[in-house]
Amino acid sequence: MPKPSQLRDYENPFEAVAFALINHHTRYAPEVLDIQGTRAHVKAIVGTIFSQHERLNFLLDNYGDMICTRWQHKAPAAREKVITAAWPRILPRSHRPDVEGLRRYDLEKPLRPEQDLFLFPHLNLDDLSKPRPLMVMMHSRARHSPEAFAVLDNESMWLGRVSATLIPGTLGQQTMFLKGETTANTYGRIVQWRNDNKIKQCQDEGIGLSPGKGLQVLQFQQQLFNFLVECAELILPDIKHQQPRRDSEAAKHSSITTFATQTPSKPLEILLDAPYRAPPPIDLGNLAALLRARNMEAVEHLWFLRQDPGYFRDAIDELSQHQREHLCDANQESHPALGTQPFWRRVVADVMGDGLDYHYLWSLMCSRLEIVISLYEKHKKDMGPGKCLHPAFDKALTDLYDQATRLRVGCITWIADGLASSPAFRQLYRRKAKGDLETIETVKSKKARNNTLLWILERMGHRDKMRFFGLHTLLSFVDRLMLSDPKERQQVPGWICKQLSDLALVDRIEQLDRLIRFGREKHTTMSDEIRHRERQKELNSFRLIMRMNAVETRQENCTFDDPVARFMYPCDEPRTQATTEQMHDAEIRLDEVWESLDDVVRKHDSSGNTPDSFSATILKVRPLERTAVWTTDNAEVTAESFGEFIKDSEAWKVMEKLRLCLDNVSVILSELRQTTPVRDLLDSSHQAEHSQAPSLVESSTRASPTQTSSTDGLSLATKAAESQVEDERAARKALEDSRLNGTYALSVSKKVYRVFSILFPLPKYGGHLDESVEPNTPAHLLWADFVHAMNSVDMMAERLCGSAWVFTPKEYGETEKQEKHERILFYEPREGKIKAMEARRWGMRLTWMYGWKRGTFESLDPPLLHRRDDVDPSTLYKEHNISVPIDYFHNDTKYEPHLNGTFPLRYWFDASYYKDGGPVIVLQSGETDGIGRLPFLQKGIVHKLAQATNGIGVILEHRYYGKSFPTPDLSTANLRFLTTDQALADMAYFAQNVVFEGLEDKCLTAPTTAYFGYGGSYAGAFVAFLRVLYPEVYYGAISSSGVTEAIWDFWRYYEPVRKYGPPDCIDKQTKLINVVDNILLNNTKYTAQLKSAFGMESITYDDDFAQVLSYPIGGWQGRNWDPEINDPSFYEYCSNITSPTLISNTTTTPNITTLAQTLLLAAGYTNNSTSTLTLPLLNFIHYIQSNYIAPILATNTTLNTAYSTHNQTFYAQSSLSQSSWRSWPYQYCTQWGYLQTGSGVPASAGLPLVSRLLTLGYNSLICRYAFNITTPPDVEAINKYGGYNISYDRLAIIDGEEDPWREASPHSTVAPNPNRTSTTERPFLLIEGAVHHWDENGRFANETTAMLPPAPVKDIQADEVMFVKAWMEEFRTAKREEL
């Protein structure tokens, strides 16, 4: 029996294991298994696994909410007690006990003290006693079959097997199948090879396992399921003895599902959850986006090396700190080469070579992954267990894997070379002997033995040791150390963190390879050493060439006594002649260094494949910028330049104010122009010669001096100030344009704006782009502030291992123009601080990637902000879920087959103003995502009512919208539970069962607590019905613009527009639509010319064409009193068609005026009418082309694709992602109606405002195509609650006077009693001049003015507060009487 120390003497751990296995088989020899006994054993284990899997599913289906809630509320000690009681043996405390066991291995003890450390490497008290991991593991193991984890569980035992701690038994010529086997009868089946080579091939490819390994996996899963079930039963001891009775349709949407599937906000929580989650799906698109982000960072790094001497200097300085020359020998002497020219030559060569290497490698990686993606899409249908990969795809995947291996080898080499000599660790090492660099060796000092982080990093810098432990294991271990302890993070140099980040991407590629190949080992003959040599050959040996020859070719110009000093680039200092000349000299030296590289590469490249100039290749990205030569007129303007009379004058004071207040520069300049000395100078400026202010940068490789001759400093400063005014005006105009165009319009808090002001500094008025004008500009930017700022503008942050963070625009994947929404990668600084100059480089990268500039962002006025102003409501309010029944009405046949399960109904609440006895105000979000209603909780009607009554405000999402789905898809069969009755029951159930987080000790359910409902539009009718149907649950309700009368043909929708719209506009609209209808319905031979006039000749169906022409009038409903959400399009359209002049004569149609006159005559209009309608028709055509045609064609989308209602293929989609167009149409097709037609308008009402081709048949095409519904909706199912006549105590009816939906409300002109008397008990109010639920939104206190909100809205909101407070008094009185 060898001592463990003998095993440790081997440099290669694999050799140690081989030594033990070969020479000491009595200790390490595998157990020989018996086929019959093994099969019987497997059958028993598999039976336990599946029965416990079923039991776990039953527990989560029926008690998942309780399990999750109780677990979250337990103290850590109580959690540990549950875990310890559920696990039959002693559970280790530390994370990854297998790795920790090897690190702390006692040389005098046997190698295999505890097999459990290696059989269950992810089970430990530290991790499982935290709130999330156990719940995540329960959910993932229950909701996926055991076979889904077979490969993952097998791989988790890797370290135990290679260390000879876990030795699987042997059963020759047999294969066990786990992957793809989903039943207890087939899971773990053992098949003999006999003469069937396919069985053996399955084992080779990882689809099958050797019986010994498979048995270990089954034992692992058996004990794990026993543990999870026992934990669940210990958390809920009252359900332990209930038997499984799981319904196949039982609910799987509960709080534990939401909790376990949501992504945590903290990187450490994400890392801790990872081992317990189900294996991730193949996501090639995400991986490709990450690689593109890394490649773009490499491209921009290389460009900065070529462009910026300061950046080049910093890179040299960083790399020089990781050279072994810094290590001392036994005599405490550093290497004699430190700081010499050969030392600096090598460092400079490595900086340049690495820049070129990584640019090449990552671009090659991206291109190879693109090949894999294209072949995967082509052949993925033919992939699966038991199927061979297509040869072309297999080769592409192998090429990608080999490329990843080359990157891995490069990263390992850099870690090995730089770890010991890094500033944080160099005191723990010394050199054994003197000598040159090639013979330097390092030895670890005694102080390093207990440093866990160093122990891990050493193994990451050794290829064999990394293979022994596994790249993924080492990365997750070191990442956890760094995230758990900031002190550990500070030890790791930023340069090594970047290597860890690259290794994390390599690990993702290798995991992808295993996932696609179903876990088989790579059968490649290329060793790491061969790959390394091939890599060097493929890269033309950039670094080697430069080390030997780069500097010698320009010896006379490129000396390297100290490059850090030679490339000093004071661009962040005040501009003087000395600093400008120093910058100019540094740029010349940088150009010479890169030109020397070009010469060397051309000299040593005999293939003829190398470009003439690497600099030229770099400059293809973007041109260089260089500093202009200093002249006497570049000097900065000061008070002395004008004489003492200027120094004390008002002009100079205003100029100083101008320097400090550029945000209001236009106002300041106006003041400046009124100052006498300045006005006189400006008036006489034509008598002197003036030149442009000097610029720091010019877009050329070498700039010539700017010629200036003016000595009038004030004139120069004024011109610069005027230039800045124009820039600021342009920025603000761009911001306003972006609001209109739906692009960037980013209003941010002062804290966020401060971050972007550092990233995008305004130029000093002398013209220097590198000097910020803001007072008190900090010398650095905190990393945490940068991440917060990026998140605040919808840039989602994802942390990779090490220091890399990838930011993804929220729109990523939702637009065809992906290049505008690519991801961007930044490295977190080691100290957590971004230096000002580095921050500005980051700003340049953001500009290149997304077009961001200073004018993209607009700061809110911070001193007056309410405490919630600068917070996006979706981040201010936590998302909650309550489990509600899918089906409340098991006696109603329309819901057959009935379901017994539940689903998570989402809600948000704000208890900031709550006091004991206060009410709960629930806003029903209606037919939209509930997130869109959060502003009403933040500053709208719910906020006002909660504040006034000391209540709790709630936004409750409607079933089948947002994220509240009771079924896995939106097929017609699964939409049967989307009825108003079911949704009303949801809202009642919520009030009777909700427990608000943080208020668990209070009884806040109805009818003990007063509940009030609020809703607008459909939701307004909804809460009105709620008050009638559940009066004992909801004590009152406010129906704003509630459409209580369901109507099939709702032609009256446009009648308020006719009545209250501008008469001239309405007259032109009806006549223009009549022209269209007369041609399409009565004179069809002109149809093609009509469509051509509008640029819509490609639209197939006439009714689709008529629908597009009806869009502009629909802008009426979007009007709002609040400018922030008002839609101005209706009045823009009206001003267009009523304009006395031609708006534009640029259309896509030739001879448009003649064609317009022809069409008017074809429509039956006389010559006199033609003369009055030609101009409106031309402007109508221009408006349609500009707003509806050109934007679509610009995206290369056909008009039929964009506008056709006859697209049956589109309507066949039924996934949850289609809810935005599918859920509400199902409701109006089955119950509500509201089809807005032009054909239904009676002759007595006048000409219709929309085309008569918009018929019930056309508007109901979606009902037929999407749901196969061919009959009118059951409007009586809605109108039975009261319709126009609905009335109830403590039910308020609020409508807008000019609302197009008014005609479906109790205020309708055709309602039996539209002029009811309003009382406190039954309010009945009409908001003067209002449109759709204008009382719902609000503004912060600091945003209100004398005109905003307008008086009618302000009065109505005050009335609502008044009568709700009165209702609360009634409630309290009733409660006192009950007592």
Side-chain angles (χ1 to χ4, degrees):
M1 174 70 193
K3 291 184 178 180
S5 58
Q6 292 177 284
L7 300 182
R8 289 302 181 92
D9 287 339
Y10 282 86
E11 182 66 15
N12 186 342
F14 290 95
E15 296 178 6
V17 175
F19 173 83
L21 291 175
I22 295 172
N23 297 297
H24 301 276
H25 55 83
T26 56
R27 176 70 181 176
Y28 296 98
E31 177 187 1
V32 178
L33 302 176
D34 171 65
I35 180 63
Q36 296 302 326
T38 300
R39 283 179 172 166
H41 191 195
V42 167
K43 184 176 181 181
I45 293 176
V46 169
T48 302
I49 291 173
F50 275 79
S51 64
Q52 292 293 70
H53 180 262
E54 184 176 5
R55 174 67 175 169
L56 185 61
N57 265 295
F58 165 78
L59 294 175
L60 297 191
D61 286 346
N62 294 277
Y63 309 102
D65 292 331
M66 296 173 63
I67 292 172
C68 186
T69 302
R70 291 190 183 182
W71 184 251
Q72 302 309 307
H73 292 167
K74 285 183 180 293
R79 296 193 196 112
E80 287 189 12
K81 186 176 180 181
V82 170
I83 294 168
T84 303
W87 189 252
R89 293 174 294 282
I90 297 176
L91 198 64
R93 176 166 292 280
S94 64
H95 175 76
R96 284 310 297 254
D98 52 344
V99 178
E100 192 66 22
L102 288 177
R103 190 185 78 83
R104 297 185 178 277
Y105 177 59
D106 188 340
L107 297 181
E108 299 303 323
K109 291 182 179 180
L111 183 61
R112 302 172 63 194
E114 296 181 40
Q115 291 191 14
D116 279 3
L117 298 182
F118 298 88
L119 187 62
F120 305 98
H122 297 297
L123 298 187
N124 61 86
L125 284 173
D126 277 354
D127 291 348
L128 294 180
S129 61
K130 291 180 171 60
R132 292 186 54 83
L134 183 64
M135 296 296 102
V136 171
M137 182 161 57
M138 274 190 183
H139 177 268
S140 60
R141 292 283 174 169
R143 300 316 188 197
H144 298 83
S145 65
E147 63 86 22
F149 289 88
V151 173
L152 191 66
D153 293 341
N154 181 55
E155 289 182 351
S156 70
M157 303 175 197
W158 162 263
L159 196 54
R161 289 172 182 158
V162 299
S163 64
T165 306
L166 295 177
I167 301 180
T170 178
L171 186 61
Q173 306 291 309
Q174 309 282 340
T175 294
M176 180 183 290
F177 287 92
L178 298 174
K179 182 69 179 177
E181 307 297 335
T182 58
T183 66
N185 293 330
T186 59
Y187 192 60
R189 62 190 177 95
I190 300 175
V191 182
Q192 292 184 348
W193 295 357
R194 293 177 181 166
N195 296 322
D196 191 349
N197 291 330
K198 291 185 178 179
I199 302 299
K200 182 178 183 302
Q201 182 183 0
C202 287
Q203 181 169 318
D204 293 339
E205 293 182 354
I207 299 168
L209 298 174
S210 68
K213 290 183 178 181
L215 189 59
Q216 287 179 335
V217 172
L218 294 177
Q219 290 171 342
F220 168 87
Q221 292 187 348
Q222 178 190 28
Q223 294 186 52
L224 184 63
F225 275 111
N226 288 339
F227 167 68
L228 294 176
V229 170
E230 186 67 18
C231 281
E233 293 177 342
L234 287 172
I235 295 171
L236 296 175
D238 49 316
I239 63 169
K240 183 171 182 178
H241 301 292
Q242 294 191 28
Q243 297 301 314
R245 52 178 179 77
R246 179 174 172 236
D247 187 342
S248 61
E249 296 294 335
K252 294 184 181 179
H253 302 284
S254 61
S255 61
I256 190 173
T257 300
T258 303
F259 183 77
T261 55
Q262 68 183 3
T263 302
S265 58
K266 298 180 179 179
L268 181 58
E269 292 183 350
I270 296 174
L271 187 65
L272 292 178
D273 285 359
Y276 309 108
R277 292 189 181 277
I282 297 175
D283 190 351
L284 293 172
N286 179 63
L287 180 58
L290 292 176
L291 293 189
R292 288 196 300 270
R294 177 61 182 90
N295 181 50
M296 184 54 65
E297 193 280 334
V299 171
E300 290 164 347
H301 167 71
L302 188 58
W303 187 85
F304 278 121
L305 287 177
R306 180 65 184 88
Q307 149 71 27
D308 188 343
Y311 188 86
F312 190 72
R313 177 204 62 201
D314 292 343
I316 293 173
D317 186 36
E318 182 182 35
L319 187 57
S320 69
Q321 296 300 318
H322 295 81
Q323 303 302 309
R324 289 189 175 184
E325 285 86 346
H326 288 283
L327 292 175
C328 295
D329 59 17
N331 297 323
Q332 296 300 309
E333 295 179 356
S334 59
H335 194 277
L338 182 64
T340 62
Q341 286 206 20
F343 171 82
W344 288 117
R345 288 172 188 167
R346 176 164 49 82
V347 172
V348 171
D350 284 347
V351 167
M352 299 168 71
D354 283 342
L356 291 165
D357 283 3
Y358 282 113
H359 170 39
Y360 175 83
L361 286 170
W362 286 109
S363 61
L364 186 60
M365 183 79 80
C366 290
S367 62
R368 290 190 174 176
L369 181 58
E370 290 300 325
I371 295 173
V372 169
I373 291 174
S374 63
L375 291 173
Y376 178 78
E377 293 299 325
K378 185 177 180 181
H379 301 293
K380 64 181 179 180
K381 294 181 180 179
D382 300 326
M383 298 180 191
K387 297 181 180 179
C388 295
L389 298 179
H390 188 277
F393 179 72
D394 186 41
K395 181 180 183 304
L397 194 60
T398 301
D399 289 343
L400 177 65
Y401 183 91
D402 287 343
Q403 184 65 21
T405 302
R406 292 170 182 170
L407 271 167
R408 174 160 55 88
V409 170
C411 294
I412 292 171
T413 302
W414 274 121
I415 292 175
D417 289 346
L419 178 64
S421 54
S422 63
F425 297 119
R426 67 173 64 141
Q427 73 276 11
L428 303 177
Y429 294 82
R430 69 174 185 270
R431 289 180 290 110
K432 287 184 176 179
K434 292 184 178 181
D436 58 19
L437 287 175
E438 302 302 326
T439 60
I440 288 179
E441 296 179 352
T442 60
V443 292
K444 187 172 64 175
S445 70
K446 295 181 180 179
K447 294 181 180 179
R449 290 187 176 180
N450 294 324
N451 192 317
T452 303
L453 180 63
L454 182 60
W455 185 83
I456 291 291
L457 290 175
E458 283 182 332
R459 274 136 192 83
M460 299 197 74
H462 192 288
R463 289 194 293 272
D464 290 332
K465 291 180 181 179
M466 177 175 282
R467 287 184 60 201
F468 179 85
F469 285 94
L471 175 58
H472 185 73
T473 298
L474 292 178
L475 281 173
S476 61
F477 199 94
V478 73
D479 213 23
R480 185 181 185 276
L481 283 175
M482 292 166 60
L483 289 172
S484 302
D485 188 352
K487 293 181 180 178
E488 298 280 14
R489 171 68 179 86
Q490 289 298 316
Q491 287 190 65
V492 185
W495 183 74
I496 290 181
C497 280
K498 293 179 181 179
Q499 310 303 317
L500 297 178
S501 300
D502 283 352
L503 285 173
L505 290 175
V506 169
D507 179 54
R508 294 199 182 199
I509 294 170
E510 294 179 351
Q511 289 187 60
L512 171 70
D513 182 83
R514 290 194 297 271
L515 191 63
I516 292 178
R517 297 178 187 276
F518 300 101
R520 76 174 184 182
E521 292 296 318
K522 290 288 299 176
H523 296 295
T524 175
T525 59
M526 183 182 289
S527 67
D528 287 346
E529 290 79 9
I530 295 175
R531 287 193 183 92
H532 188 60
R533 290 197 296 271
E534 289 292 324
R535 171 177 175 264
Q536 293 300 322
K537 180 179 178 181
E538 186 173 355
L539 295 175
N540 290 315
S541 301
F542 288 144
R543 193 180 300 114
L544 181 61
I545 290 175
M546 286 185 294
R547 283 182 178 177
M548 294 189 303
N549 301 286
V551 180
E552 284 86 342
T553 57
R554 291 295 182 96
Q555 182 79 30
E556 67 282 3
N557 296 323
C558 299
T559 58
F560 288 99
D561 295 331
D562 185 359
V564 176
R566 288 181 60 79
F567 292 106
M568 189 63 65
Y569 196 64
C571 59
D572 55 344
E573 297 180 10
R575 192 69 65 247
T576 64
Q577 181 174 356
T579 57
T580 301
E581 290 176 352
Q582 191 174 8
M583 292 169 59
H584 189 262
D585 291 343
E587 291 168 355
I588 292 175
R589 295 188 189 107
L590 183 62
D591 291 342
E592 289 173 347
V593 170
W594 282 96
E595 288 164 7
S596 70
L597 170 62
D598 296 337
D599 293 343
V600 172
V601 173
R602 283 191 290 265
K603 173 182 175 183
H604 288 269
D605 178 45
S606 58
S607 65
N609 296 325
T610 305
D612 290 339
S613 166
F614 279 109
S615 296
T617 303
I618 298 168
L619 296 181
K620 289 180 180 178
V621 179
R622 55 188 61 86
L624 297 182
E625 298 171 343
R626 287 292 177 253
T627 305
V629 176
W630 177 266
T631 66
T632 56
D633 292 325
N634 290 98
E636 194 172 303
V637 180
T638 62
E640 289 77 5
S641 303
F642 309 104
E644 291 299 319
F645 81 98
I646 292 291
K647 183 175 181 180
D648 297 327
S649 69
E650 265 321 292
W652 182 254
K653 294 177 182 179
V654 176
M655 282 294 295
E656 284 299 297
K657 188 176 180 181
L658 175 64
R659 294 168 64 103
L660 300 177
C661 303
L662 280 182
D663 285 344
N664 298 315
V665 68
S666 59
V667 177
I668 302 303
L669 185 59
S670 176
E671 296 176 16
L672 184 64
R673 288 180 179 277
Q674 301 307 314
T675 307
T676 302
V678 176
R679 186 175 62 247
D680 294 341
L681 284 170
L682 291 175
D683 291 340
S684 61
S685 60
H686 65 279
Q687 299 176 3
E689 295 181 5
H690 300 284
S691 61
Q692 294 182 350
S695 175
L696 169 67
V697 294
E698 297 179 14
S699 298
S700 63
T701 304
R702 177 59 47 207
S704 60
T706 303
Q707 300 299 320
T708 58
S709 58
S710 174
T711 58
D712 190 342
L714 182 59
S715 174
L716 179 66
T718 304
K719 287 178 68 66
E722 287 182 302
S723 176
Q724 287 181 4
V725 171
E726 294 304 318
D727 290 345
E728 190 70 10
R729 286 173 178 168
R732 293 187 179 276
K733 184 179 185 300
L735 189 64
E736 293 301 320
D737 290 344
S738 67
R739 286 199 183 98
L740 297 176
N741 298 334
T743 55
Y744 289 114
L746 305 177
S747 294
V748 296
S749 68
K750 180 185 178 183
K751 179 180 179 181
V752 172
Y753 186 76
R754 188 68 170 170
V755 171
F756 288 118
S757 70
I758 298 173
L759 293 170
F760 307 103
L762 287 173
K764 200 168 186 178
Y765 65 68
H768 304 309
L769 295 176
D770 293 293
E771 297 184 45
S772 175
V773 300
E774 279 91 4
N776 303 319
T777 299
H780 60 261
L781 172 64
L782 292 178
W783 169 258
D785 290 344
F786 174 75
V787 175
H788 170 72
M790 295 291 280
N791 286 335
S792 70
V793 292
D794 290 339
M795 294 290 288
M796 298 176 289
E798 175 187 0
R799 181 185 176 276
L800 303 180
C801 180
S803 59
W805 288 66
V806 176
F807 295 88
T808 307
K810 192 174 183 180
E811 301 88 349
Y812 185 83
E814 300 175 6
T815 175
E816 295 180 3
K817 296 185 177 181
Q818 290 287 21
E819 67 274 7
K820 291 188 178 181
H821 301 290
E822 282 286 5
R823 305 181 187 187
I824 191 167
L825 183 146
F826 293 102
Y827 291 106
E828 177 183 358
R830 177 186 171 193
E831 302 82 6
K833 299 177 181 178
I834 311 165
K835 295 180 181 179
M837 281 307 304
E838 185 65 15
R840 294 171 194 179
R841 295 188 188 108
W842 288 17
M844 293 172 67
R845 293 183 57 199
L846 290 168
T847 300
W848 297 335
M849 181 66 77
Y850 305 116
W852 290 1
K853 298 179 181 178
R854 179 62 167 265
T856 304
F857 307 95
E858 187 178 51
S859 175
L860 299 173
D861 186 12
L864 302 177
L865 291 182
H866 189 274
R867 63 186 178 87
R868 307 176 185 195
D869 264 32
D870 59 351
V871 182
D872 181 343
S874 65
T875 59
L876 177 64
Y877 302 110
K878 182 179 178 181
E879 182 180 295
H880 300 271
N881 287 279
I882 181 174
S883 290
V884 300
I886 296 175
D887 185 2
Y888 295 90
F889 308 107
H890 284 256
N891 295 325
D892 195 330
T893 57
K894 77 171 68 169
Y895 302 114
E896 292 179 348
H898 297 284
L899 297 182
N900 296 318
T902 61
F903 73 97
L905 192 67
R906 190 163 58 153
Y907 68 95
W908 301 259
F909 75 92
D910 184 356
S912 302
Y913 301 107
Y914 177 73
K915 294 182 181 179
D916 287 345
V920 177
I921 297 98
V922 184
L923 183 144
Q924 169 56 240
S925 68
E927 71 284 21
T928 189
D929 191 313
I931 289 178
R933 306 303 193 192
L934 292 181
F936 308 139
L937 183 61
Q938 185 184 28
K939 58 179 179 178
I941 188 61
V942 182
H943 173 262
K944 289 180 180 296
L945 293 176
Q947 184 180 32
T949 60
N950 297 319
I952 298 174
V954 178
I955 305 296
L956 182 64
E957 194 164 68
H958 195 292
R959 59 167 55 201
Y960 286 93
Y961 294 93
K963 292 184 179 179
S964 301
F965 295 101
T967 55
D969 61 39
L970 301 179
S971 63
T972 303
N974 280 337
L975 284 170
R976 66 185 183 278
F977 300 108
L978 178 52
T979 64
T980 303
D981 288 338
Q982 295 279 9
L984 287 167
D986 284 339
M987 196 160 172
Y989 184 93
F990 173 85
Q992 293 170 312
N993 293 275
V994 69
V995 176
F996 293 106
E997 184 180 277
L999 299 170
E1000 293 86 352
D1001 58 327
K1002 302 182 184 297
C1003 180
L1004 295 174
T1005 55
T1008 304
T1009 297
Y1011 270 71
F1012 297 103
Y1014 180 95
S1017 192
Y1018 158 70
F1022 185 98
V1023 297
F1025 303 160
L1026 182 77
R1027 175 66 184 131
V1028 172
L1029 196 59
Y1030 296 99
E1032 72 286 355
V1033 180
Y1034 280 83
Y1035 195 73
I1038 300 176
S1039 172
S1040 179
S1041 296
V1043 286
T1044 55
E1045 180 79 13
I1047 305 167
W1048 179 223
D1049 187 346
F1050 190 38
W1051 62 269
R1052 291 184 182 275
Y1053 174 87
Y1054 294 103
E1055 293 310 293
V1057 186
R1058 185 194 302 274
K1059 181 176 181 180
Y1060 296 103
D1064 190 25
C1065 177
I1066 300 304
D1067 177 66
K1068 293 294 191 299
Q1069 172 71 12
T1070 54
K1071 289 179 179 178
L1072 291 173
I1073 291 299
N1074 191 49
V1075 170
V1076 173
D1077 283 353
N1078 285 350
I1079 292 176
L1080 294 179
L1081 295 173
N1082 304 322
N1083 201 353
T1084 56
K1085 67 179 181 180
Y1086 288 94
T1087 297
Q1089 294 182 61
L1090 177 65
K1091 291 181 180 180
S1092 175
F1094 286 90
M1096 288 190 279
E1097 58 271 19
S1098 62
I1099 285 193
T1100 304
Y1101 295 94
D1102 294 349
D1103 42 19
D1104 287 334
F1105 168 70
Q1107 173 86 317
V1108 175
L1109 300 186
S1110 301
Y1111 286 156
I1113 204 69
W1116 178 265
Q1117 181 180 324
R1119 295 163 53 222
N1120 194 276
W1121 61 267
D1122 188 345
E1124 293 292 328
I1125 60 176
N1126 177 58
D1127 177 6
S1129 64
F1130 176 83
Y1131 283 107
E1132 290 174 358
Y1133 171 66
C1134 278
S1135 64
N1136 191 294
I1137 62 174
T1138 59
S1139 172
T1141 60
L1142 186 64
I1143 299 295
S1144 173
N1145 59 3
T1146 57
T1147 66
T1148 60
T1149 308
N1151 302 318
I1152 186 62
T1153 302
T1154 302
L1155 180 56
Q1157 294 170 346
T1158 300
L1159 293 173
L1160 289 171
L1161 292 173
Y1165 284 83
T1166 64
N1167 289 328
N1168 290 336
S1169 299
T1170 299
S1171 61
T1172 59
L1173 284 178
T1174 299
L1175 184 60
L1177 179 57
L1178 290 173
N1179 286 334
F1180 184 27
I1181 290 171
H1182 169 72
Y1183 188 88
I1184 294 295
Q1185 289 188 357
S1186 300
N1187 291 275
Y1188 298 100
I1189 309 305
I1192 297 300
L1193 297 180
T1195 64
N1196 294 322
T1197 303
T1198 67
L1199 296 180
N1200 275 327
T1201 301
Y1203 294 126
S1204 181
T1205 305
H1206 297 266
N1207 191 343
Q1208 298 187 46
T1209 302
F1210 174 81
Y1211 291 127
Q1213 301 176 92
S1214 60
S1215 66
L1216 295 182
S1217 63
Q1218 308 301 314
S1219 62
S1220 60
W1221 68 265
R1222 195 169 175 86
S1223 295
W1224 175 239
Y1226 179 81
Q1227 288 193 261
Y1228 69 65
C1229 288
T1230 54
Q1231 291 189 320
W1232 288 84
Y1234 299 135
L1235 300 190
Q1236 298 152 19
T1237 68
S1239 61
V1241 178
S1244 59
L1247 293 173
L1249 275 75
V1250 295
S1251 174
R1252 292 190 292 272
L1253 273 73
L1254 304 187
T1255 64
L1256 286 175
Y1258 173 71
N1259 285 336
S1260 64
L1261 286 176
I1262 188 174
C1263 305
R1264 183 163 70 252
Y1265 292 155
F1267 314 113
N1268 196 29
I1269 295 174
T1270 57
T1271 57
D1274 182 13
V1275 294
E1276 289 307 313
I1278 302 301
N1279 294 333
K1280 65 183 179 183
Y1281 297 116
Y1284 286 134
N1285 296 313
I1286 192 168
S1287 181
Y1288 210 89
D1289 285 349
R1290 296 185 297 280
L1291 170 60
I1293 304 295
I1294 314 290
D1295 289 305
E1297 180 187 22
E1298 300 178 7
D1299 189 356
W1301 290 98
R1302 174 182 172 181
E1303 293 302 314
S1305 78
H1307 277 101
S1308 171
T1309 57
V1310 295
N1313 188 11
N1315 299 309
R1316 306 179 202 170
T1317 300
S1318 179
T1319 65
T1320 301
E1321 195 71 5
R1322 298 191 179 190
F1324 194 77
L1325 303 169
L1326 195 64
I1327 308 176
E1328 179 185 353
V1331 187
H1332 210 42
H1333 45 84
W1334 273 19
D1335 61 314
E1336 192 167 18
N1337 55 294
R1339 293 172 71 89
F1340 292 110
N1342 62 290
E1343 297 176 332
T1344 59
T1345 66
M1347 302 299 294
L1348 295 176
V1353 173
K1354 191 180 300 183
D1355 292 344
I1356 287 292
Q1357 290 178 337
D1359 288 343
E1360 289 170 322
V1361 169
M1362 180 272 296
F1363 59 66
V1364 170
K1365 292 175 74 172
W1367 295 350
M1368 273 304 300
E1369 286 302 315
E1370 292 182 35
F1371 178 81
R1372 294 189 182 102
T1373 300
K1375 287 298 180 184
R1376 287 194 293 269
E1377 292 176 353
E1378 289 178 6
L1379 296 176

